[in-house]
C-alpha cells in the first residue's frame, strides 16, 4: 500500500486538499472527450498561448498551496519554513477549501478547455475533477478521524521528524529543535479538532483507544522523559543526526541540551494531554465499528467509496464483486493445493500455511531474522530491476531501499507500505516492511509484497510520476487510490508472466495476496454498510484467507479506521487488466506490453474512467 494515504504524504489534510487535490482521491469523471499527450498533437498558435498560460497558472496555484504547508515543503525536499509545522486548525482548513473553490472558478473564467492542447486539457479536467470531489466531500470533511489506531498526528509527527527532516547543517539542527518546541501547539490543534469531533459523535471504537495510548506512551518513554538508560525514539534520532554533523563538540552538546528541554517542556506535555483525552473518551464510547454509526453515515460511506474507487459502484455491488472474486481465486488455490500434495480441504490448507507447523514459511522473530528478511526482500527487488527492459521503455531514476518500520509505531502500522522519494534525489523511495512479528510476514508472500511495494509496483509508478516532464506539479505529486493501488496489485501479477513465482508456494502467496484484496471488498462493505462487527470481519478473513491471525486483526482494525480505502486495490487492478486484455485483443501481434505500460504511466495517476479513455485513444492510434 501506499501508506496512501497516506497515505501517506505526512502533511495536513487541509494542505493536501489545496494542492489541487494532491494526495486526495477522486470520485466520478467529467464527460469531456479523450485526450492524448501534447507531443502527439499539432497545436495552433492560440492553443500554444493558452496552454503556456494555464500551465503557468497551475504552477502558481501549486506553489501558493505549498507555501501554506511547511510539512509539504519538507516532503518535497525544500528547507523553507524548516522550523515549522502545518496549521492544523479548523479555520485554516476551511480557508484552504475556500481558496481551492476560488481557484476552480478562476480557472473556468480565464481558460477555455477547447483552446488548450491535449495535455493541458487533461490537466484542466483533473484540476476540475479534484475540486469537484472536494465539494462533494465538504459535508464530511470532519468525519475522517483525526486520531485512530492506524493513523494520526500522534504517530505521524515523530515519523515525519525521523524520516523527512534531514539534518545537514547547524541551521537544520536548530530547525529540528524548533519543531520539537512547536510540537505542543501542533498536537494541541489536532487535539482540539478531535475533541470537537467527539462532541459531534465522531470517534473510533472503544478498543482503538488502547492502541493510541500505547503508541503515545512509546513516544515519551526513555531518556529524557524518565531515568531509563535507553534513549527515547526522538532523542535517539536527533542525537544520531547531530553526531554526524561537522560542528564543534560544544555546539553538539548545546543542541542536544536544547532538544532535551524541548522534549520535556513541549513533547511530553503534548502527549500527556493526548493520553488524558484518549482515556477520557475511551471511558464513554462503545465498540460500534463501522461508518454507519456516524452522523449521516450511509452518505459518508457512499462518498468514501466514490472517492477511493473513482467509480459510482455501490456498496452492494462492491460486496458482490468481492464474493465472486474470492470464489474464483479459491478455485485457483485448490489447484496449487493439489500440486503440492496436501491432503485436506482448502480451509485446512489455509490453517497449515498459517500455523506453519514445520517452520518452512517464517523467518525467526529475532533481529537476525529481521535482517535476513530485509536482505531477501532487497534481493528480490534487485533481480526484478535487472529485467525491467522486458516490461518498460521508461524507468525511474530514483533509488529504492528496503527498511523495517520503526519500533515506536510497528504495533499499529500496516504490514508493508511505500514512501515516495524526494523529488530532488535527496531521499530514496522506501519500501517499509513491518517486522514486529515475522510470523505475520510469511516467506511465501515475500515476492508478491516486494513487487507491489517496490518494483515494478509503487516505486515504479510513483517515482516515474514525480519525474514526468512538462506536466504540472499538482499532477506529479497527486494521486488516485484506485489507480495507484490498482497498479500495485497489477504489479504482483506481471512477474507471473515472466516466469517468477516458480515455487508453487510462492505462487500460492501471489494468489493469497490477490485473495486478500478480493476479501477486502467483502469485509470493508460488511463493516461499513452491513454493520458487521470487528469480530465478524476477522472471522471472515480467517476462514477465507491463509493470512496469520495477527495480520488479519491488524488489517480489520485498519479498515475500520479508513472506510472505503481497502476497496480501491482490486477495483483498480481489474480495470487495468480489462484495458490490457482489450488492447491485446484489438492489436493482436502488434501489441507491445512495454508500450501499454508507458500509456498507463505516462500521464501520472488518473481516475479509472479517464485512464480508460487514454488507453482507448492509444489503441485507436495504433490501429490507424
Amino acid at each position: 500500500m501506499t501508506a496512501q494515504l497516506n497515505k501517506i504524504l505526512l502533511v495536513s489534510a487541509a494542505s493536501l486538499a489545496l494542492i489541487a487535490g494532491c494526495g486526495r482521491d477522486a470520485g466520478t469523471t467529467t464527460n469531456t472527450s479523450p485526450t492524448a499527450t501534447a507531443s502527439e498533437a499539432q497545436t495552433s498558435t492560440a492553443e500554444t498561448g493558452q496552454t503556456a498560460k494555464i500551465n503557468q497558472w497551475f504552477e502558481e496555484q501549486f506553489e501558493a498551496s505549498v507555501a501554506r504547508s511547511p510539512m509539504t515543503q519538507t516532503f518535497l525536499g525544500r528547507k523553507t519554513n524548516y522550523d515549522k509545522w502545518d496549521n492544523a486548525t479548523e479555520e485554516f482548513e476551511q480557508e484552504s477549501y475556500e481558496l481551492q473553490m476560488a481557484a476552480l472558478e478562476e480557472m473556468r473564467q480565464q481558460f477555455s478547455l477547447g483552446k488548450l492542447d491535449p495535455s493541458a486539457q487533461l490537466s484542466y479536467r483533473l484540476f476540475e475533477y479534484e475540486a469537484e470531489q472536494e465539494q462533494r466531500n465538504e459535508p464530511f470533511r470532519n468525519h475522517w478521524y483525526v486520531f485512530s489506531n492506524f493513523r494520526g498526528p500522534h504517530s505521524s509527527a515523530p515519523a515525519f521528524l525521523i524520516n523527512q527532516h534531514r539534518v545537514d547543517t547547524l541551521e537544520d539542527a536548530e530547525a529540528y529543535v524548533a519543531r520539537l518546541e512547536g510540537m505542543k501547539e501542533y498536537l494541541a490543534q489536532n487535539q482540539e479538532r478531535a475533541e470537537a469531533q467527539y462532541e459531534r459523535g465522531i470517534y473510533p471504537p472503544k478498543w482503538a483507544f488502547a492502541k493510541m495510548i500505547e503508541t503515545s506512551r512509546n513516544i515519551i518513554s526513555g531518556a529524557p522523559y524518565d531515568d531509563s538508560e535507553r534513549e527515547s525514539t526522538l532523542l535517539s534520532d536527533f542525537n544520531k543526526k547531530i553526531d554526524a554533523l561537522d560542528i564543534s563538540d560544544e555546539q553538539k552538546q548545546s543542541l542536544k541540551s536544547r532538544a532535551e528541554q524541548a522534549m520535556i517542556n513541549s513533547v511530553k506535555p503534548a502527549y500527556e494531554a493526548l493520553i488524558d483525552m484518549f482515556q477520557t473518551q475511551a471511558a464513554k464510547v462503545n465498540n460500534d465499528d463501522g461508518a454507519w454509526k456516524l452522523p449521516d453515515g450511509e452518505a459518508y460511506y457512499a462518498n468514501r467509496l466514490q472517492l477511493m474507487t473513482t467509480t459510482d459502484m455501490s456498496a452492494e455491488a462492491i460486496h458482490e464483486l468481492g464474493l465472486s472474486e474470492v470464489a474464483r481465486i479459491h478455485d485457483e488455490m485448490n489447484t496449487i493445493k493439489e500440486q503440492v500434495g496436501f491432503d485436506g480441504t482448502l480451509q485446512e490448507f489455509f490453517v497449515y500455511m498459517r500455523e506453519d507447523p514445520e517452520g518452512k514459511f517464517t523467518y525467526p522473530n529475532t533481529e537476525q531474522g529481521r535482517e535476513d528478511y530485509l536482505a531477501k526482500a532487497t534481493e528480490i527487488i534487485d533481480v526484478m530491476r535487472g529485467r525491467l527492459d522486458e516490461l518498460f521503455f521508461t524507468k525511474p531514476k530514483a533509488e529504492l531501499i528496503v527498511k523495517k518500520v520503526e519500533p515506536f509505531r510497528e504495533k499499529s502500522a500496516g504490514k508493508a507500505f511505500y514512501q515516495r522519494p524526494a523529488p530532488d534525489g535527496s531521499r530514496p523511495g522506501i519500501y517499509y516492511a513491518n517486522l514486529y512479528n515475522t510470523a505475520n510476514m510469511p516467506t511465501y508472500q515475500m515476492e508478491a509484497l516486494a513487487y507491489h511495494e517496490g518494483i515494478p509496483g509503487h516505486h515504479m509508478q510513483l517515482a516515474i510520476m514525480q519525474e514526468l516532464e512538462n506536466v504540472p506539479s499538482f499532477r506529479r505529486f497527486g494521486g488516485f487510490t484506485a489507480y495507484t493501488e490498482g497498479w500495485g496489485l497489477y504489479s504482483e501479477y506481471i512477474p507471473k508472466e515472466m516466469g517468477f513465482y516458480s515455487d508453487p508456494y510462492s505462487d500460492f502467496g501471489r494468489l493469497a495476496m490477490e485473495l486478500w484484496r478480493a476479501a477486502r471488498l467483502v469485509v470493508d462493505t460488511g463493516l461499513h454498510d452491513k454493520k458487521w462487527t470487528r469480530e465478524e470481519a476477522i472471522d471472515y478473513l480467517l476462514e477465507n484467507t491463509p493470512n496469520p491471525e495477527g495480520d488479519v486483526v491488524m488489517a480489520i482494525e485498519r479498515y475500520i479506521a479508513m472506510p472505503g480505502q481497502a476497496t480501491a486495490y482490486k477495483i483498480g487492478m481489474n480495470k487495468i487488466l480489462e484495458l490490457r486484455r482489450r488492447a491485446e485483443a484489438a492489436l493482436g501481434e502488434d501489441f507491445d506490453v512495454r508500450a501499454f505500460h508507458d500509456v498507463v504511466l505516462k500521464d501520472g495517476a488518473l481516475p479509472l474512467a479517464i485512464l480508460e479513455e487514454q488507453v482507448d485513444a492509444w489503441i485507436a492510434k495504433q490501429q490507424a
Side-chain angles (χ1 to χ4, degrees), residues 31 139 146 156 181 187 272 291 333 395 401 500 567 582 624:
N31 58 356
V146 176
S156 66
E181 293 169 342
L187 290 179
E272 288 175 337
M333 288 178 143
K395 293 174 279 295
I401 63 172
F500 291 96
T567 65
R582 183 185 304 173

Side-chain angles (χ1 to χ4, degrees), residues 9-12 69-76 81 84-86 156-157 160 164 179 186:
L9 294 178
L10 297 175
V11 296
S12 71
S69 173
M71 295 170 73
T72 300
Q73 294 163 38
T74 300
F75 181 84
L76 292 175
N81 296 303
K84 296 180 176 61
W85 297 95
D86 282 356
S156 66
F160 175 84
Q164 307 294 330
R179 275 181 160 156
Y186 175 65

Side-chain angles (χ1 to χ4, degrees), residues 123-137:
S123 297
Y124 183 109
R125 294 177 67 197
L126 292 173
F127 191 98
E128 182 177 59
Y129 182 109
E130 295 179 351
E132 289 176 342
Q133 179 58 56
E134 286 304 317
Q135 289 178 315
R136 289 188 289 270
N137 191 57

Side-chain angles (χ1 to χ4, degrees), residues 88 94 98 112 127 163 175 184 241 297 300 342 463 532 565 605 617:
Q94 179 62 34
E98 291 170 0
S112 172
F127 191 98
N163 296 305
K184 184 176 181 180
K241 290 174 177 175
Y300 168 59
F342 183 84
W532 287 12
Q565 194 269 351

Side-chain angles (χ1 to χ4, degrees), residues 294-315:
L294 304 176
D296 207 11
E298 182 178 352
Y300 168 59
Y301 185 55
N303 183 69
R304 288 293 303 169
L305 291 177
Q306 183 188 61
L307 186 75
M308 290 294 135
T309 68
T310 69
T311 74
D312 286 325
M313 291 183 70
S314 67

Side-chain angles (χ1 to χ4, degrees), residues 276-292:
D276 286 344
M277 178 185 70
F278 294 151
Q279 290 175 331
T280 300
Q281 293 181 1
K284 300 177 182 179
V285 303
N286 59 33
N287 270 324
D288 289 344
D289 296 301
W292 56 267

